[in-house]
Coordinates of all heavy atoms in Angstrom, one line a residue:
Q3 N -8.5 -32.8 -14.5 CA -9.0 -31.4 -14.9 C -9.6 -30.7 -13.7 O -10.4 -31.3 -12.9 CB -10.0 -31.5 -16.0 CG -9.5 -32.0 -17.3 CD -9.4 -33.6 -17.4 OE1 -10.3 -34.3 -16.9 NE2 -8.3 -34.1 -17.9
V5 N -11.8 -27.2 -12.7 CA -12.6 -26.1 -13.2 C -13.0 -25.2 -12.0 O -13.8 -25.7 -11.2 CB -13.8 -26.6 -14.0 CG1 -14.6 -25.4 -14.5 CG2 -13.3 -27.4 -15.2
G10 N -16.1 -12.9 -9.4 CA -16.9 -11.8 -9.8 C -16.4 -10.5 -9.2 O -15.3 -10.4 -8.7
P14 N -15.8 -3.6 -1.3 CA -15.1 -4.0 -0.1 C -16.1 -4.3 1.0 O -17.1 -3.7 1.2 CB -14.3 -2.7 0.2 CG -14.1 -2.1 -1.1 CD -15.4 -2.4 -1.9
S17 N -18.8 -10.5 0.0 CA -18.4 -11.9 0.1 C -18.6 -12.6 -1.3 O -19.4 -12.2 -2.1 CB -19.3 -12.7 1.1 OG -19.2 -12.1 2.4
S21 N -15.7 -22.2 -6.2 CA -15.8 -23.6 -6.3 C -14.8 -24.1 -7.3 O -14.5 -23.5 -8.3 CB -17.2 -24.1 -6.7 OG -18.2 -23.7 -5.8
G26 N -11.7 -36.4 -14.2 CA -10.7 -37.0 -15.0 C -10.2 -38.3 -14.4 O -11.0 -39.0 -13.6
E44 N 3.4 -12.3 -7.9 CA 3.7 -13.7 -7.9 C 2.5 -14.5 -7.5 O 1.6 -14.0 -6.7 CB 4.9 -14.1 -7.0 CG 6.2 -13.5 -7.5 CD 7.4 -14.0 -6.7 OE1 7.2 -14.7 -5.7 OE2 8.5 -13.7 -7.1
G47 N 0.0 -18.9 -2.3 CA -0.9 -19.8 -1.7 C -1.9 -19.1 -0.8 O -1.5 -18.2 0.0
L53 N -6.6 -34.0 3.4 CA -7.5 -35.2 3.4 C -8.0 -35.5 4.8 O -9.1 -36.0 5.0 CB -6.8 -36.4 2.8 CG -6.4 -36.2 1.4 CD1 -5.7 -37.5 0.9 CD2 -7.6 -35.9 0.5
R56 N -7.6 -31.1 7.9 CA -6.8 -30.0 8.4 C -6.7 -28.9 7.4 O -6.5 -29.2 6.2 CB -5.5 -30.5 8.8 CG -4.6 -29.5 9.6 CD -3.3 -30.1 10.1 NE -2.5 -29.1 10.8 CZ -1.3 -29.4 11.4 NH1 -0.9 -30.7 11.3 NH2 -0.7 -28.5 12.0
V63 N -5.3 -13.9 4.9 CA -6.7 -14.2 4.8 C -7.3 -14.9 6.0 O -8.5 -15.2 6.0 CB -7.0 -15.1 3.5 CG1 -6.4 -14.4 2.3 CG2 -6.4 -16.5 3.7
T68 N -12.6 -19.2 4.3 CA -12.8 -20.5 4.9 C -12.8 -21.5 3.7 O -13.6 -21.4 2.7 CB -14.2 -20.6 5.6 OG1 -14.3 -19.7 6.6 CG2 -14.4 -22.0 6.2
G74 N -18.3 -35.8 -1.8 CA -17.5 -36.5 -2.9 C -16.1 -36.2 -2.9 O -15.3 -36.8 -3.6
L80 N -14.2 -22.2 -1.5 CA -13.5 -21.1 -0.7 C -14.5 -20.0 -0.5 O -14.9 -19.4 -1.4 CB -12.3 -20.6 -1.5 CG -11.5 -19.5 -0.8 CD1 -10.8 -20.2 0.4 CD2 -10.5 -18.9 -1.7
P87 N -9.8 -4.7 -1.2 CA -9.2 -4.5 -2.5 C -8.0 -5.3 -2.8 O -7.8 -5.7 -4.0 CB -9.0 -3.0 -2.5 CG -10.0 -2.4 -1.6 CD -10.1 -3.4 -0.5
Y94 N -6.8 -19.5 -8.5 CA -6.6 -20.7 -9.1 C -6.7 -21.9 -8.1 O -6.3 -21.8 -6.9 CB -5.1 -20.8 -9.7 CG -4.8 -19.8 -10.8 CD1 -4.3 -18.6 -10.4 CD2 -5.1 -20.1 -12.1 CE1 -4.0 -17.7 -11.4 CE2 -4.8 -19.2 -13.1 CZ -4.3 -18.0 -12.8 OH -4.0 -17.1 -13.7
D98 N -3.0 -32.3 -6.3 CA -2.0 -33.4 -6.6 C -2.4 -34.5 -5.7 O -3.2 -34.4 -4.7 CB -0.6 -32.9 -6.3 CG 0.4 -33.6 -7.2 OD1 0.3 -34.8 -7.3 OD2 1.3 -32.9 -7.7
L107 N 1.1 -24.7 0.7 CA 0.8 -23.4 0.0 C 1.9 -23.0 -0.9 O 2.1 -21.8 -1.2 CB 0.6 -22.4 1.1 CG -0.6 -22.5 2.0 CD1 -0.8 -21.3 3.0 CD2 -1.9 -22.6 1.1
T110 N 4.8 -24.9 -6.4 CA 5.6 -25.9 -7.1 C 5.3 -27.4 -6.6 O 5.7 -28.3 -7.2 CB 7.1 -25.7 -6.8 OG1 7.4 -25.6 -5.4 CG2 7.6 -24.4 -7.5
M113 N 0.8 -30.5 -9.3 CA 0.9 -30.8 -10.8 C -0.3 -30.3 -11.6 O -0.1 -29.8 -12.7 CB 0.9 -32.3 -10.9 CG 1.0 -32.8 -12.4 SD 1.1 -34.6 -12.6 CE 2.7 -34.9 -11.8
W115 N -3.6 -27.8 -12.3 CA -4.1 -26.4 -12.1 C -5.3 -26.2 -13.0 O -5.4 -26.7 -14.1 CB -3.0 -25.4 -12.5 CG -1.8 -25.5 -11.6 CD1 -0.7 -26.3 -11.6 CD2 -1.6 -24.6 -10.4 NE1 0.1 -26.0 -10.6 CE2 -0.4 -25.0 -9.8 CE3 -2.4 -23.6 -9.9 CZ2 0.1 -24.4 -8.7 CZ3 -1.9 -23.0 -8.7 CH2 -0.7 -23.4 -8.2
G116 N -6.2 -25.3 -12.5 CA -7.3 -24.9 -13.2 C -6.9 -23.6 -14.0 O -5.8 -23.1 -13.9
V121 N -11.4 -12.5 -9.3 CA -12.1 -11.8 -8.2 C -11.6 -10.3 -8.2 O -10.4 -10.1 -8.2 CB -11.7 -12.5 -6.9 CG1 -12.2 -11.6 -5.7 CG2 -12.3 -13.9 -6.8
T122 N -12.6 -9.4 -8.2 CA -12.3 -8.0 -8.2 C -13.0 -7.4 -7.1 O -14.3 -7.5 -7.0 CB -12.6 -7.3 -9.5 OG1 -11.9 -8.0 -10.6 CG2 -12.3 -5.9 -9.5
V123 N -12.3 -6.7 -6.2 CA -12.9 -6.0 -5.0 C -12.6 -4.5 -5.2 O -11.5 -4.1 -5.1 CB -12.3 -6.5 -3.7 CG1 -13.1 -5.9 -2.5 CG2 -12.4 -8.0 -3.6

Side-chain angles (χ1 to χ4, degrees):
Q3 293 81 42
V5 178
S17 298
S21 296
E44 294 186 355
L53 296 179
R56 189 172 181 180
V63 305
T68 304
L80 184 67
Y94 297 92
D98 210 317
L107 294 183
T110 54
M113 178 180 296
W115 290 85
V121 171
T122 302
V123 185

